[in-house]
Structures are given as structure tokens and as C-alpha cells.
């Protein structure tokens, strides 16, 4: 039976639209479809495969570790070399004093753990998030989802969260000494690649410091080189109390973590002991892959490449925007290789995404901003590939009425 038929019968879907691309193989920035076509991947699994698909160093690390051991005990109960080494590398890359990581498996889990930590540290209950935020879909993360219609069906399950407008300086006054934690994406991803105004993250930091609220940076999309630095915290020069990683941190394998000072993370091991536990958190194969991926980013100069290719892409997109029929493109924005182009409507954006797909280029809109097309290729992307993507996108924009 065809994969599509098996999927239709037996796989729980996430949307009413069945997936139409069956991937047979992926390499670098290319996906090879069962339809015999090659696609240029400008999504990277939504900011996951930052070192490109099947990077030989990552593949080798996965194979080697799987041969040694894949799972021996729940997280934290056996010493595991890849875990300890990856933790040390991340501690060296994150801004001080974030020198330790509690490993988990998915981003939403890391969000939940961070909310628990904020409540535990402060002894308070108030939580603040931002309109347009996406933090994942567990109950805790969903409570921080900055779109009321997504929360509504599950409202009875969700802890109360106050939502503030993203990027609004005056609204920060609503963070008070009753606030346990404030969770923010330094650049909103699903909200439409929204970069906050200059100085806003610093003002948010200052208000959290003044009130004693824990500032949690959700760097699940922005982290591990995506914004042209290891973390948005470093790029913007603002250090949170807690920093979350997932997506690219496992080099394409499932891995997530909560970064904080070591003494803070100890709170998960006390009152009661095992105050937070996970079976697969920090899976050794994922940690080995993540460690290999960090090495690739360093050796291949991918932070610098993300910055240079991001600038080339932004420039090219702005030229296309200027040439496009009036009003078709509303805005081009982004940092590093986290770029969004906002169109005049979801219908325009969808038509362009489909046309690009026909031209061999994979793009996607954002969950909460269907008018905005995201560009988040692997950080290994070359000038030739950026130019190829721009040519396909330009043709699609011009052909869409
Ligand atoms: N936070 C951000 C900023 C995300 O973009 C995502 C996923 O897209 C998540 C959290 C949730 O991560 P996961 O899907 O691994 O639970």
C-alpha cells in the first residue's frame, strides 16, 4: 500500500490537509521526493537541521553512539559521556551565569519545566507571556500560547497567564512582584518572525530584575546559530534567568533543555527529590548528535555564514518586494537566517508557497501569521542556493495575482 494511503488510514493528522511530499532522502539543503524531484529546503524542519540534512559528522556520531548504548536508565541516573560533554559545551556557549542544563526531549516540555522552575524559585504563581507567542502544545506551554482561539478548547485545563503586547514598552509595567515568570521568544517565530524594537528586551530584563520575576527566553527557534550568534541572548546582549533550547540542539535528533545557573537547576532535585523527571531527556544518541552539530557549526563557520547568507537573502527579498505589484509584499524582516516576508493576505502567501513548491523550493507560512512566509534554510546554505531560492520566489511572487 502507498505511504499516503497508510498515513491516511493510520497516522493521526495535525491538520485537515494531508501531507503531499514524501521524502525518500535528504542531504545538505536538498530533499529528494518519492515523486523523483529534488527540492531546495528553506525551512530546515522548522529551524531544526541547522547543519543541513545528514551531515556526515552527525551521522557518524549517531551511529557510533547507537553502537555503544542508546538507553541505559532514565535521565540523570547514570553518568553518560555525550550528555556531560554536550552540557559543558552549551555552558561555554551560553551567556554567563547560565552554566548548566536540565535535558529534556521536546521544546514544549522544556517550557513546562521552566514554568515550574519559576514558580519554585519565586514562590509566586503569576505568569506572563506575549500576544503572538508560540511555545508548544503541552498544557503548560499551551497556557502561554498567545492566540486565544488555540487556548479556548482547553481553557479548563490551563493555568492563568497574562498576555502583554509583544514589543510594547509601557505594557512591561504589568510585570509585578506577584509575577513568578515571564516567557518570551526574543524573536517571535510562529507569530510571524517579529523582531522586537531596539531596547525592548533590555527593558524587559530590567523590569524582571526590579520585580524579581524570572525571565525565561524561549530560544527553541532562535538558538544554536539561527540568528547569526549562538543565542539571541548573545546577539541582543540581554541575559535571561532561564534559557530554553530544543529543535537544532540535537543536530536533527529529539533533544531539549532548560539552561540556568547550576544552583538554580538543583531545585529540580529537591523538595521533593525527583521534583522533575523524564525517561528520555538527554538521550545519549541525541546528545552525541548535538555535540557533533555544535562542532560542525564551529568548524564550518556557520554563525558567520548565517549572518552573511541572511543579509544576502534579506537584500534579495527587499529587491523583489520593491519590484512586486504594489501592496503584494507588506514587509521583509528578520535576523540571521530567521527571515519572514509578510504578504497582503494568507491567500497570497499560500499561493506563493504552492508556486515555489512547483518550482522546487520548500517554504512555509507561520502558524499564527499565515500572511508571512518564513525563510529558515540550514545554516550551511550557499550563495548559489540563496540565489536559486530568490529566483524561484521572485517568479512565484510575480505570477501570483
Ligand atoms: N517554542 C518555540 C519558539 C517553538 O517554535 C516551538 C516549536 O515550534 C516550541 C516552543 C515547541 O517545541 P516542540 O515542538 O519541540 O514541543
Amino acid at each position: 500500500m502507498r505511504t499516503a494511503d497508510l498515513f491516511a488510514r493510520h497516522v493521526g493528522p495535525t491538520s485537515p490537509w494531508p501531507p503531499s511530499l514524501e521524502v525518500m532522502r535528504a542531504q545538505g539543503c536538498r530533499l529528494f521526493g518519492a515523486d523523483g524531484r529534488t527540492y531546495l529546503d528553506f525551512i530546515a524542519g522548522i529551524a531544526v537541521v541547522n547543519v543541513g540534512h545528514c551531515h556526515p559528522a552527525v551521522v557518524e556520531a549517531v551511529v557510533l553512539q547507537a553502537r555503544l548504548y542508546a538507553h541505559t536508565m532514565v535521565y540523570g541516573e547514570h553518568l553518560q559521556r555525550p550528555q556531560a560533554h554536550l552540557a559543558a559545551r552549551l555552558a561555554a556557549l551560553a551567556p554567563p551565569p547560565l552554566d548548566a542544563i536540565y535535558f529534556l526531549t521536546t521544546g514544549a516540555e522544556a517550557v513546562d519545566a521552566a514554568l515550574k522552575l519559576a514558580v519554585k524559585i519565586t514562590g509566586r504563581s503569576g505568569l506572563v507571556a506575549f500576544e503572538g507567542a508560540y511555545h508548544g502544545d503541552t498544557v503548560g506551554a499551551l497556557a502561554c500560547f498567545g492566540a486565544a482561539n488555540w487556548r479556548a478548547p482547553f481553557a479548563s485545563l490551563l493555568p492563568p497567564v497574562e498576555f502583554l503586547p509583544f514589543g510594547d514598552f509601557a505594557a512591561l509595567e504589568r510585570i509585578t512582584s506577584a509575577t513568578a515568570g515571564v516567557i518570551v521568544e526574543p524573536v517571535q517565530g510562529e507569530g510571524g518572525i517579529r523582531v522586537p524594537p531596539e531596547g525592548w528586551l533590555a527593558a524587559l530584563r530590567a523590569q524582571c530584575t526590579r520585580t524579581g520575576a524570572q525571565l525565561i527566553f524561549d530560544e527553541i527557534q532562535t538558538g544554536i546559530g539561527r540568528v547569526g550568534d549562538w543565542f539571541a541572548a548573545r546577539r541582543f546582549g540581554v541575559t535571561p534567568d532561564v534559557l530554553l533550547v530544543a529543535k537544532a540542539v540535537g543536530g536533527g535528533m529529539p533533544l531539549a533543555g532548560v539552561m540556568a545557573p547550576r544552583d538554580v537547576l538543583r531545585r529540580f532535585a529537591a523538595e521533593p527529590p525527583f521534583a522533575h523527571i523524564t525517561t528520555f531527556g538527554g538521550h545519549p544518541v541525541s546528545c552525541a548528535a548535538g555535540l557533533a552539530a555544535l562542532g560542525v557549526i564551529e568548524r564550518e563557520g556557520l554563525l558567520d555564514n548565517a549572518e552573511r547568507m541572511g543579509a544576502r537573502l534579506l537584500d534579495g527579498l527587499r529587491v523583489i518586494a520593491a519590484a512586486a505589484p504594489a501592496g503584494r509584499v507588506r514587509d521583509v524582516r528578520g535576523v540571521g537566517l530567521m527571515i519572514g516576508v509578510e504578504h497582503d493576505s494568507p491567500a497570497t502567501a499560500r499561493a506563493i508557497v504552492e508556486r515555489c513548491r512547483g518550482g522546487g523550493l520548500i517554504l512555509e507560512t507561520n502558524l499564527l501569521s499565515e500572511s508571512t512566509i518564513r525563510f529558515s534554510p540550514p545554516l550551511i546554505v550557499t550563495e548559489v542556493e540563496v540565489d536559486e531560492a530568490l529566483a524561484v520566489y521572485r517568479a512565484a511572487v510575480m505570477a501570483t495575482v
Side-chain angles (χ1 to χ4, degrees):
M1 201 179 268
R2 290 178 341 122
T3 308
D5 296 329
L6 291 172
F7 184 98
R9 282 192 197 190
H10 303 295
V11 180
T14 58
S15 78
W17 309 284
S20 51
L21 175 62
E22 182 178 354
V23 179
M24 301 303 281
R25 197 165 65 76
Q27 186 67 54
C29 292
R30 306 275 169 181
L31 302 176
F32 300 89
D35 56 6
R37 298 191 59 197
T38 302
Y39 296 91
L40 185 55
D41 177 10
F42 260 52
I43 292 297
I46 309 207
V48 170
V49 282
N50 284 7
V51 298
H53 297 281
C54 293
H55 193 289
V58 175
V59 173
E60 191 186 346
V62 165
V63 170
L64 284 178
Q65 184 56 41
R67 285 213 175 100
L68 289 174
Y69 59 88
H71 181 88
T72 63
M73 185 47 175
V74 298
Y75 172 63
E77 299 301 303
H78 282 171
L79 289 170
Q80 298 187 343
R81 206 180 150 79
Q83 229 173 46
H85 281 258
L86 178 58
R89 282 298 296 130
L90 288 169
L93 299 175
L98 307 175
D99 64 355
I101 182 164
Y102 188 103
F103 281 117
L104 291 147
T105 312
T106 67
E109 267 184 287
V111 170
D112 280 9
L115 299 179
K116 286 171 69 177
L117 197 58
V119 167
K120 206 158 189 227
I121 291 167
T122 60
R124 307 173 183 172
S125 58
L127 295 173
V128 169
F130 291 92
E131 289 162 11
Y134 179 68
H135 297 291
D137 265 302
T138 55
V139 168
L142 180 61
C144 301
F145 201 144
N149 54 330
W150 261 275
R151 299 192 307 270
F154 311 104
S156 63
L157 280 176
L158 307 180
V161 173
E162 182 170 4
F163 289 90
L164 306 183
F166 183 74
D168 184 321
F169 284 85
L172 298 178
E173 289 299 320
R174 283 152 61 191
I175 298 166
T176 69
S177 55
T179 310
V182 179
I183 184 163
V184 66
E185 296 159 86
V187 177
Q188 281 194 342
E190 299 309 318
I193 318 295
R194 291 169 69 202
V195 185
E198 178 95 28
W200 185 75
L201 288 171
L204 171 60
R205 170 69 277 179
Q207 182 66 2
C208 288
T209 303
R210 236 187 324 274
T211 56
Q214 290 285 299
L215 178 58
I216 303 161
F217 271 12
D218 175 344
E219 293 235 30
I220 287 165
Q221 261 193 62
T222 54
I224 319 297
R226 175 64 43 199
V227 295
D229 203 330
W230 285 107
F231 296 103
R234 279 176 51 154
R235 166 128 204 174
F236 294 117
V238 175
T239 303
D241 299 295
V242 177
L243 186 154
L244 309 181
V245 288
K247 288 191 178 280
V249 75
M253 299 292 282
L255 186 65
V258 177
M259 299 197 70
R262 190 176 58 243
D263 287 343
V264 170
L265 284 185
R266 279 187 205 286
R267 303 296 293 272
F268 276 146
E271 303 163 54
F274 304 108
H276 197 79
I277 30 182
T278 160
T279 296
F280 285 124
H283 193 281
V285 178
S286 300
C287 286
L291 198 53
L294 294 185
V296 169
I297 293 174
E298 225 157 35
R299 278 195 308 281
E300 297 187 8
L302 297 187
L303 300 184
D304 184 50
N305 196 56
E307 193 61 21
R308 286 187 304 107
M309 292 306 116
R312 189 179 184 91
L313 192 51
L314 267 180
D315 285 350
L317 290 170
R318 289 194 172 123
V319 169
I320 294 170
R328 178 98 23 100
V329 181
R330 284 214 181 126
D331 193 21
V332 178
R333 52 183 179 256
V335 190
L337 278 171
M338 187 169 177
I339 292 173
V341 180
E342 187 175 338
H343 288 276
D344 52 354
S345 71
T348 302
R350 179 50 44 202
I352 292 171
V353 165
E354 294 308 325
R355 279 215 162 82
C356 285
R357 165 91 179 265
L361 172 66
I362 304 289
L363 293 172
E364 219 9 288
T365 54
N366 295 274
L367 188 61
L368 297 176
S369 179
E370 290 174 89
S371 304
T372 306
I373 296 177
R374 73 169 95 229
F375 291 74
S376 64
L379 310 185
I380 57 166
V381 71
T382 62
E383 283 183 4
V384 170
E385 287 162 338
V386 166
D387 294 350
E388 180 184 336
L390 285 168
V392 176
Y393 179 70
R394 182 189 178 93
V397 170
M398 297 308 174
T400 304
V401 259

